[in-house]
Structures are given as C-alpha cells and as structure tokens.
Amino acid sequence: MGGQISVDKSVQVVIVGGGFGGIEAARKLKCWGVPFVLVDMRDAFHHNVAALRAAVQSGFAKKTFISFSKTFGGSFRQGLVVGIDLEKRHVLLNDGEHLCYSHLILATGSDGPFPGKFDKPMDMQSAIQTYEDMVQEVEKSPRIVIVGGGSAGVEMAAEVKTKYPNKEVTLIHSKVALADAEVLPRVRQEVKESLLKEGVHLLLSQKVENLQSLTLNQFKENMIVKTDKGTEIVTDMVILCTGIKVNSAAYSGAFSDKLASNGALQVNEYLQVKGYDNIYAIGDCADVNEPKMAYHAGLHADVAVTNIVNSLTQKPLKTYTPGSLTFLISLGRCDGVGQISDYYVGHLLVTVVKSRDLFVSQSWRKMGQCMPC
Ligand SMILES: Cc1cc2nc3c(=O)[nH]c(=O)nc-3n(C[C@H](O)[C@H](O)[C@H](O)COP(=O)(O)OP(=O)(O)OC[C@H]3O[C@@H](n4cnc5c(N)ncnc54)[C@H](O)[C@@H]3O)c2cc1C
C-alpha cells in the first residue's frame, strides 16, 4: 500500500458492519488517511470463526471479542443501521441520528444460530458471558445432538469430542456428504473418517422433524430428537448449526431492486452496488459467486478501499474475480483437513495453520491490540 492521500472535506466513508470485511476496510482507510466512520450494532468485533470453541472451552470467549473503540477511537460509532437515504446520502441509525457519507461500504454480513453467530446488540462483557454460560451447559450434558453437518456442524462436533471424548455426540445431516458442497470430495471424506474415528455418531441423509419443540443450547435431560426417517435419539442438549442468512435489514428498503434472492446485494466487478459508483458491498452481504468466508470478505475489503482511493486519485478501478478455493476445516485443537487454492492439504498443516488458535491471534494483531491470556 502507498502512503497517505490528501482528500477534501467532502470525503467521508461510512462502513456499515464491523465483521471481517468491515474491520479490514477500516484498517485500510486508516492507512490511506481517508476519513471514515465504522458503524456496528455491537461494541466489539466478533471473531466468529472461533465461536464454536468459545462455546465449549471455558476462558476462550474473551479471545473472540475485540473492542472497536480501542482500535478505531472516534472513527467508531456504535449503532444499529435501520435505513439508507440515497438522495441525501445519509445512513440512518435506530437512535434517530444519521451519518453523512460520500462513499458507503456495506458489510453487514450474515446471521445464523448461536453459537456459530451472535449478531445481538449486546455489550462485549455480556456477549462473553453468554458463551461462558453455554460452556456450562455443554459440560453438564452427557449426550449432545448437533443439527447440520456443514462445516460449522462438523467443527462443533469435533470441538465437543476433543474436549469431552466420553460424551455421546451425534451429528445429524440432511445430505450424504459432510461439510460444504464446494469442498473437495477427498476433504469431505476425510472429515467423515476423522469424526467416526473420534466416536461421533453420524446420522446422514436425515432431517430433524421436531426442531420447534426442542430446547436449544441448554441442558435438558432426555429430550427426544425425531428425524424424517423415523429415527429417535434421546439427548440432553441440542445445538443448531444450520441456516445462515444475509443481514439485509439495513439496506433492503433502499435497494429493493438490487437484491439477490438471498438478500445479498448485486454488485459489479468493482464490488460497487449495481448502478452506484460510490456504494460498495463486501463480504457475506455481497452477491458474489463463491462461498461466504471471512477470507473472501477481507479480499473484498481490499478491492473496495482500493477503488475508493483510485476514484479519488483518478486511477483505474481494480476488479474482483472469485478465485480458486482455500477452505480449512478444523477438527478440534489437534486435527483438521482442507484445501489451499483447490489443492488438498493434510491434517498436520491445517492443525498448525488453523486448528490450534482458529486465527484469533491474527485478528488481535490486525486490531493492534494484545490478546488476553
Ligand atoms: C462457525 C463458523 C466458522 C467459520 N469459519 C470460517 C473459517 O474458518 N474461514 C473463513 O474464511 N470463514 C469462516 N466462516 C465464515 C465467516 O465467518 C463469514 O464469512 C464472515 O464472518 C463474513 O464476514 P463479514 O464481514 O461479511 O460479516 P460478519 O462477520 O457477519 O459481520 C457483520 C457485522 O455487521 C454488523 N451488522 C449487521 N447488520 C447491522 C446493522 N443493521 N447495523 C449495524 N451493524 C450491523 C454485525 O454486528 C457484524 O459485526 C465461519 C462462519 C461460522 C459461522
């Protein structure tokens, strides 16, 4: 990255959402000396890539929340964005205030069931405590059912089994193969073999039928989970790892004609929302044909900020093209498997690169703060 640029007073970038994409965009704008405000409903960045371990291992949750204001000072504003006035170039907050923008980066990400996701307007200490409470519930439960065998469900099952090898863990998945569809067949097969080796019971090609009547994330003795194939499992805890959905509430009113069917924003090759050269969408809320990943959100942030800087300095814009897939699946602290740029990578490498700390130290470094022990 080059040095700082000088910009006139009319330039003010507003970033909505301080997830992996939002903090990367903020960091880059700070380096370029471009004025910005980062808005998030919470007071801390959530490193949700490690959220599942935080639900199982006591003392880990505090490593997964990082204060925004300590890193971004007055450039951070806590608030829930409830709308965008495209004519006035305002972002509207739920407390009635508005923020003016010359350029807007929408990075509202996605939400899903706790513990994998946690998009509540809650302060950092309460959020950490919510995960610590879950740790207690897991500890109390001898039998645990995890619903959903995508990457999150697989990682959840492995986290529980690694910490508690004697607990009875059952993973129920509606498809035959585990993990995400985009992942190499060899990786998916090895995920399955590793879980079976650890003693996880797999119920594949079955859907849970009575989810509505089950208590989630709490110890409750002798609950009965029923599947569409007639299987019944008696358990003491149910954890849901399905159903990620795009957070579109902030922009769906303003951009009702620019939404993909899942609520993501249609963007062009520069990651500009179609029809707007000063508004960008990045991360999980951008309709880009690739798996929704923190890693991709960071790459998008780089393109969006480069394009804001280039547009201010009359340089050509940078394009974003989805590339080959890097996907690492941790299987507890001591195992993992995955692919880098579409090439299979084995257990040892994934364990060293991802499973040991789930990239938490990387996020603390990026935020320029010391990780608590
Ligand atoms: C359990 C789990 C494990 C994962 N593991 C990996 C992994 O190993 N590697 C990987 O690359 N990806 C992984 N992912 C995917 C990754 O977490 C997401 O792709 C990533 O979080 C997307 O980043 P983002 O910045 O787009 O949005 P998010 O991280 O979802 O952040 C969005 C932010 O916007 C804020 N926000 C939303 N709406 C509003 C509003 N209206 N007003 C104000 N603020 C708002 C939220 O509070 C949140 O802070 C994992 C996901 C899960 C659930």
Short mmCIF file of all heavy atoms in Angstrom, two decimals, residues 158-195:
data_model
loop_
_atom_site.label_atom_id
_atom_site.label_comp_id
_atom_site.label_asym_id
_atom_site.label_seq_id
_atom_site.Cartn_x
_atom_site.Cartn_y
_atom_site.Cartn_z
N ALA A 158 -16.54 -31.80 16.46
CA ALA A 158 -15.14 -32.09 16.78
C ALA A 158 -14.69 -31.32 18.04
O ALA A 158 -13.94 -31.86 18.85
CB ALA A 158 -14.26 -31.74 15.59
N GLU A 159 -15.16 -30.08 18.20
CA GLU A 159 -14.80 -29.31 19.40
C GLU A 159 -15.29 -30.03 20.66
O GLU A 159 -14.56 -30.16 21.64
CB GLU A 159 -15.40 -27.90 19.36
CG GLU A 159 -14.75 -26.95 18.37
CD GLU A 159 -13.29 -26.61 18.68
OE1 GLU A 159 -12.85 -26.75 19.83
OE2 GLU A 159 -12.58 -26.21 17.73
N VAL A 160 -16.52 -30.51 20.62
CA VAL A 160 -17.08 -31.17 21.80
C VAL A 160 -16.31 -32.46 22.09
O VAL A 160 -15.91 -32.73 23.22
CB VAL A 160 -18.59 -31.47 21.61
CG1 VAL A 160 -19.13 -32.24 22.82
CG2 VAL A 160 -19.39 -30.18 21.42
N LYS A 161 -16.07 -33.25 21.04
CA LYS A 161 -15.40 -34.54 21.23
C LYS A 161 -13.95 -34.37 21.70
O LYS A 161 -13.42 -35.19 22.46
CB LYS A 161 -15.41 -35.33 19.92
CG LYS A 161 -16.50 -36.38 19.86
CD LYS A 161 -16.36 -37.43 20.95
CE LYS A 161 -17.35 -38.56 20.84
NZ LYS A 161 -17.34 -39.46 22.00
N THR A 162 -13.30 -33.29 21.23
CA THR A 162 -11.90 -33.07 21.64
C THR A 162 -11.85 -32.74 23.12
O THR A 162 -11.01 -33.25 23.86
CB THR A 162 -11.29 -31.89 20.82
OG1 THR A 162 -11.42 -32.21 19.45
CG2 THR A 162 -9.83 -31.68 21.15
N LYS A 163 -12.77 -31.90 23.58
CA LYS A 163 -12.76 -31.51 24.99
C LYS A 163 -13.33 -32.62 25.87
O LYS A 163 -12.87 -32.85 26.98
CB LYS A 163 -13.59 -30.21 25.14
CG LYS A 163 -13.75 -29.68 26.53
CD LYS A 163 -12.63 -28.70 26.88
CE LYS A 163 -12.88 -27.94 28.17
NZ LYS A 163 -12.48 -28.62 29.37
N TYR A 164 -14.34 -33.33 25.36
CA TYR A 164 -15.01 -34.36 26.16
C TYR A 164 -15.10 -35.66 25.37
O TYR A 164 -16.17 -35.98 24.81
CB TYR A 164 -16.43 -33.90 26.51
CG TYR A 164 -16.50 -32.63 27.31
CD1 TYR A 164 -16.89 -31.43 26.71
CD2 TYR A 164 -16.19 -32.62 28.67
CE1 TYR A 164 -16.96 -30.27 27.44
CE2 TYR A 164 -16.25 -31.45 29.40
CZ TYR A 164 -16.63 -30.28 28.78
OH TYR A 164 -16.71 -29.13 29.50
N PRO A 165 -14.02 -36.43 25.31
CA PRO A 165 -14.04 -37.65 24.50
C PRO A 165 -15.13 -38.65 24.93
O PRO A 165 -15.56 -39.46 24.12
CB PRO A 165 -12.64 -38.25 24.72
CG PRO A 165 -11.81 -37.16 25.30
CD PRO A 165 -12.72 -36.19 25.95
N ASN A 166 -15.57 -38.57 26.18
CA ASN A 166 -16.54 -39.56 26.65
C ASN A 166 -18.00 -39.16 26.46
O ASN A 166 -18.90 -39.94 26.73
CB ASN A 166 -16.31 -39.88 28.13
CG ASN A 166 -14.97 -40.56 28.31
OD1 ASN A 166 -14.53 -41.30 27.42
ND2 ASN A 166 -14.28 -40.25 29.40
N LYS A 167 -18.23 -37.94 25.99
CA LYS A 167 -19.63 -37.56 25.74
C LYS A 167 -20.13 -38.26 24.48
O LYS A 167 -19.35 -38.53 23.56
CB LYS A 167 -19.76 -36.04 25.56
CG LYS A 167 -19.66 -35.26 26.87
CD LYS A 167 -20.09 -33.83 26.65
CE LYS A 167 -19.68 -32.93 27.80
NZ LYS A 167 -20.35 -33.19 29.08
N GLU A 168 -21.45 -38.51 24.47
CA GLU A 168 -22.05 -39.13 23.29
C GLU A 168 -22.48 -38.00 22.35
O GLU A 168 -23.39 -37.23 22.67
CB GLU A 168 -23.26 -39.96 23.73
CG GLU A 168 -23.89 -40.76 22.63
CD GLU A 168 -25.17 -41.44 23.13
OE1 GLU A 168 -25.09 -42.26 24.06
OE2 GLU A 168 -26.24 -41.10 22.59
N VAL A 169 -21.78 -37.88 21.22
CA VAL A 169 -22.08 -36.77 20.29
C VAL A 169 -22.67 -37.36 19.00
O VAL A 169 -22.09 -38.25 18.39
CB VAL A 169 -20.80 -35.96 19.97
CG1 VAL A 169 -21.11 -34.88 18.93
CG2 VAL A 169 -20.23 -35.34 21.23
N THR A 170 -23.84 -36.85 18.61
CA THR A 170 -24.48 -37.29 17.37
C THR A 170 -24.61 -36.09 16.43
O THR A 170 -25.08 -35.03 16.84
CB THR A 170 -25.89 -37.87 17.65
OG1 THR A 170 -25.77 -38.89 18.63
CG2 THR A 170 -26.53 -38.43 16.39
N LEU A 171 -24.19 -36.29 15.20
CA LEU A 171 -24.29 -35.22 14.19
C LEU A 171 -25.33 -35.65 13.16
O LEU A 171 -25.19 -36.71 12.53
CB LEU A 171 -22.92 -35.00 13.53
CG LEU A 171 -22.84 -33.96 12.43
CD1 LEU A 171 -23.19 -32.57 12.94
CD2 LEU A 171 -21.42 -33.92 11.85
N ILE A 172 -26.38 -34.83 13.00
CA ILE A 172 -27.43 -35.17 12.03
C ILE A 172 -27.33 -34.22 10.83
O ILE A 172 -27.28 -33.00 10.99
CB ILE A 172 -28.84 -35.03 12.66
CG1 ILE A 172 -28.90 -35.84 13.97
CG2 ILE A 172 -29.92 -35.48 11.69
CD1 ILE A 172 -30.24 -35.76 14.68
N HIS A 173 -27.28 -34.81 9.65
CA HIS A 173 -27.09 -34.00 8.44
C HIS A 173 -28.07 -34.46 7.36
O HIS A 173 -28.27 -35.66 7.17
CB HIS A 173 -25.64 -34.17 7.97
CG HIS A 173 -25.25 -33.25 6.86
ND1 HIS A 173 -25.58 -31.92 6.84
CD2 HIS A 173 -24.53 -33.47 5.72
CE1 HIS A 173 -25.09 -31.36 5.75
NE2 HIS A 173 -24.46 -32.28 5.05
N SER A 174 -28.63 -33.51 6.64
CA SER A 174 -29.66 -33.86 5.65
C SER A 174 -29.08 -34.47 4.37
O SER A 174 -29.80 -35.04 3.57
CB SER A 174 -30.48 -32.62 5.29
OG SER A 174 -29.60 -31.64 4.78
N LYS A 175 -27.76 -34.32 4.19
CA LYS A 175 -27.15 -34.86 2.96
C LYS A 175 -26.23 -36.04 3.31
O LYS A 175 -25.99 -36.32 4.48
CB LYS A 175 -26.35 -33.77 2.26
CG LYS A 175 -27.23 -32.57 1.93
CD LYS A 175 -26.53 -31.57 1.06
CE LYS A 175 -27.44 -30.39 0.78
NZ LYS A 175 -27.53 -29.45 1.89
N VAL A 176 -25.68 -36.67 2.25
CA VAL A 176 -24.82 -37.84 2.49
C VAL A 176 -23.41 -37.39 2.86
O VAL A 176 -22.78 -37.95 3.76
CB VAL A 176 -24.75 -38.73 1.22
CG1 VAL A 176 -23.86 -39.95 1.46
CG2 VAL A 176 -26.14 -39.17 0.81
N ALA A 177 -22.90 -36.37 2.16
CA ALA A 177 -21.52 -35.93 2.41
C ALA A 177 -21.51 -34.78 3.42
O ALA A 177 -22.39 -33.91 3.39
CB ALA A 177 -20.88 -35.50 1.11
N LEU A 178 -20.50 -34.78 4.29
CA LEU A 178 -20.38 -33.70 5.28
C LEU A 178 -19.65 -32.50 4.68
O LEU A 178 -19.06 -32.59 3.61
CB LEU A 178 -19.60 -34.22 6.50
CG LEU A 178 -20.31 -35.31 7.31
CD1 LEU A 178 -19.35 -35.94 8.31
CD2 LEU A 178 -21.54 -34.75 8.03
N ALA A 179 -19.67 -31.40 5.42
CA ALA A 179 -19.00 -30.14 5.04
C ALA A 179 -19.66 -29.53 3.79
O ALA A 179 -20.62 -30.08 3.25
CB ALA A 179 -17.50 -30.33 4.84
N ASP A 180 -19.10 -28.40 3.35
CA ASP A 180 -19.77 -27.63 2.29
C ASP A 180 -19.59 -28.27 0.91
O ASP A 180 -18.57 -28.90 0.63
CB ASP A 180 -19.24 -26.20 2.27
CG ASP A 180 -19.57 -25.47 3.56
OD1 ASP A 180 -19.50 -26.13 4.62
OD2 ASP A 180 -19.90 -24.29 3.53
N ALA A 181 -20.57 -28.04 0.05
CA ALA A 181 -20.60 -28.66 -1.28
C ALA A 181 -19.39 -28.29 -2.13
O ALA A 181 -18.95 -29.06 -2.98
CB ALA A 181 -21.88 -28.27 -1.99
N GLU A 182 -18.82 -27.09 -1.91
CA GLU A 182 -17.71 -26.61 -2.75
C GLU A 182 -16.38 -27.29 -2.40
O GLU A 182 -15.40 -27.18 -3.13
CB GLU A 182 -17.51 -25.11 -2.58
CG GLU A 182 -18.69 -24.25 -2.99
CD GLU A 182 -19.72 -24.07 -1.87
OE1 GLU A 182 -19.58 -24.71 -0.82
OE2 GLU A 182 -20.66 -23.29 -2.08
N VAL A 183 -16.36 -27.99 -1.27
CA VAL A 183 -15.10 -28.57 -0.79
C VAL A 183 -14.77 -29.85 -1.56
O VAL A 183 -15.67 -30.59 -1.98
CB VAL A 183 -15.23 -28.84 0.74
CG1 VAL A 183 -14.03 -29.56 1.29
CG2 VAL A 183 -15.46 -27.53 1.48
N LEU A 184 -13.47 -30.12 -1.74
CA LEU A 184 -13.03 -31.32 -2.49
C LEU A 184 -13.60 -32.60 -1.87
O LEU A 184 -13.62 -32.72 -0.63
CB LEU A 184 -11.51 -31.43 -2.44
CG LEU A 184 -10.67 -30.39 -3.19
CD1 LEU A 184 -9.20 -30.58 -2.84
CD2 LEU A 184 -10.89 -30.54 -4.69
N PRO A 185 -14.03 -33.55 -2.71
CA PRO A 185 -14.57 -34.81 -2.17
C PRO A 185 -13.62 -35.50 -1.20
O PRO A 185 -14.04 -36.05 -0.19
CB PRO A 185 -14.78 -35.67 -3.43
CG PRO A 185 -14.91 -34.68 -4.55
CD PRO A 185 -14.09 -33.49 -4.18
N ARG A 186 -12.33 -35.44 -1.46
CA ARG A 186 -11.37 -36.11 -0.57
C ARG A 186 -11.39 -35.47 0.83
O ARG A 186 -11.31 -36.16 1.84
CB ARG A 186 -9.96 -36.00 -1.18
CG ARG A 186 -8.92 -36.63 -0.29
CD ARG A 186 -7.56 -36.66 -0.92
NE ARG A 186 -6.58 -37.18 0.04
CZ ARG A 186 -5.28 -37.12 -0.13
NH1 ARG A 186 -4.78 -36.60 -1.24
NH2 ARG A 186 -4.45 -37.61 0.77
N VAL A 187 -11.52 -34.16 0.86
CA VAL A 187 -11.56 -33.46 2.15
C VAL A 187 -12.83 -33.86 2.90
O VAL A 187 -12.80 -34.17 4.09
CB VAL A 187 -11.51 -31.92 1.93
CG1 VAL A 187 -11.71 -31.17 3.24
CG2 VAL A 187 -10.19 -31.52 1.27
N ARG A 188 -13.94 -33.90 2.18
CA ARG A 188 -15.23 -34.25 2.82
C ARG A 188 -15.17 -35.67 3.37
O ARG A 188 -15.68 -35.96 4.45
CB ARG A 188 -16.36 -34.09 1.81
CG ARG A 188 -16.49 -32.67 1.29
CD ARG A 188 -17.59 -32.51 0.27
NE ARG A 188 -18.86 -32.23 0.88
CZ ARG A 188 -20.00 -32.12 0.21
NH1 ARG A 188 -20.02 -32.30 -1.10
NH2 ARG A 188 -21.13 -31.87 0.82
N GLN A 189 -14.52 -36.56 2.61
CA GLN A 189 -14.42 -37.95 3.05
C GLN A 189 -13.54 -38.05 4.30
O GLN A 189 -13.86 -38.76 5.25
CB GLN A 189 -13.85 -38.80 1.89
CG GLN A 189 -13.72 -40.28 2.18
CD GLN A 189 -15.07 -40.94 2.55
OE1 GLN A 189 -16.14 -40.48 2.15
NE2 GLN A 189 -14.99 -42.01 3.36
N GLU A 190 -12.45 -37.30 4.31
CA GLU A 190 -11.54 -37.38 5.47
C GLU A 190 -12.16 -36.75 6.71
O GLU A 190 -11.89 -37.18 7.83
CB GLU A 190 -10.19 -36.76 5.13
CG GLU A 190 -9.48 -37.62 4.11
CD GLU A 190 -7.99 -37.38 4.01
OE1 GLU A 190 -7.41 -36.76 4.91
OE2 GLU A 190 -7.41 -37.82 3.00
N VAL A 191 -13.00 -35.73 6.51
CA VAL A 191 -13.74 -35.15 7.64
C VAL A 191 -14.60 -36.24 8.27
O VAL A 191 -14.63 -36.43 9.49
CB VAL A 191 -14.62 -33.98 7.15
CG1 VAL A 191 -15.71 -33.65 8.15
CG2 VAL A 191 -13.77 -32.74 6.88
N LYS A 192 -15.29 -36.97 7.41
CA LYS A 192 -16.18 -38.04 7.88
C LYS A 192 -15.40 -39.10 8.65
O LYS A 192 -15.77 -39.49 9.76
CB LYS A 192 -16.88 -38.66 6.66
CG LYS A 192 -17.93 -39.68 6.99
CD LYS A 192 -18.60 -40.08 5.68
CE LYS A 192 -19.58 -41.21 5.86
NZ LYS A 192 -20.22 -41.57 4.59
N GLU A 193 -14.28 -39.54 8.06
CA GLU A 193 -13.48 -40.58 8.71
C GLU A 193 -12.93 -40.11 10.05
O GLU A 193 -12.92 -40.85 11.02
CB GLU A 193 -12.32 -41.00 7.77
CG GLU A 193 -12.83 -41.90 6.65
CD GLU A 193 -11.83 -42.05 5.51
OE1 GLU A 193 -10.65 -41.72 5.69
OE2 GLU A 193 -12.27 -42.47 4.41
N SER A 194 -12.50 -38.85 10.11
CA SER A 194 -11.95 -38.33 11.37
C SER A 194 -13.01 -38.30 12.46
O SER A 194 -12.75 -38.67 13.60
CB SER A 194 -11.39 -36.92 11.18
OG SER A 194 -10.30 -36.96 10.31
N LEU A 195 -14.21 -37.85 12.10
CA LEU A 195 -15.28 -37.79 13.11
C LEU A 195 -15.64 -39.19 13.59
O LEU A 195 -15.83 -39.42 14.79
CB LEU A 195 -16.52 -37.09 12.55
CG LEU A 195 -16.38 -35.58 12.30
CD1 LEU A 195 -17.71 -35.01 11.78
CD2 LEU A 195 -15.97 -34.82 13.55
#
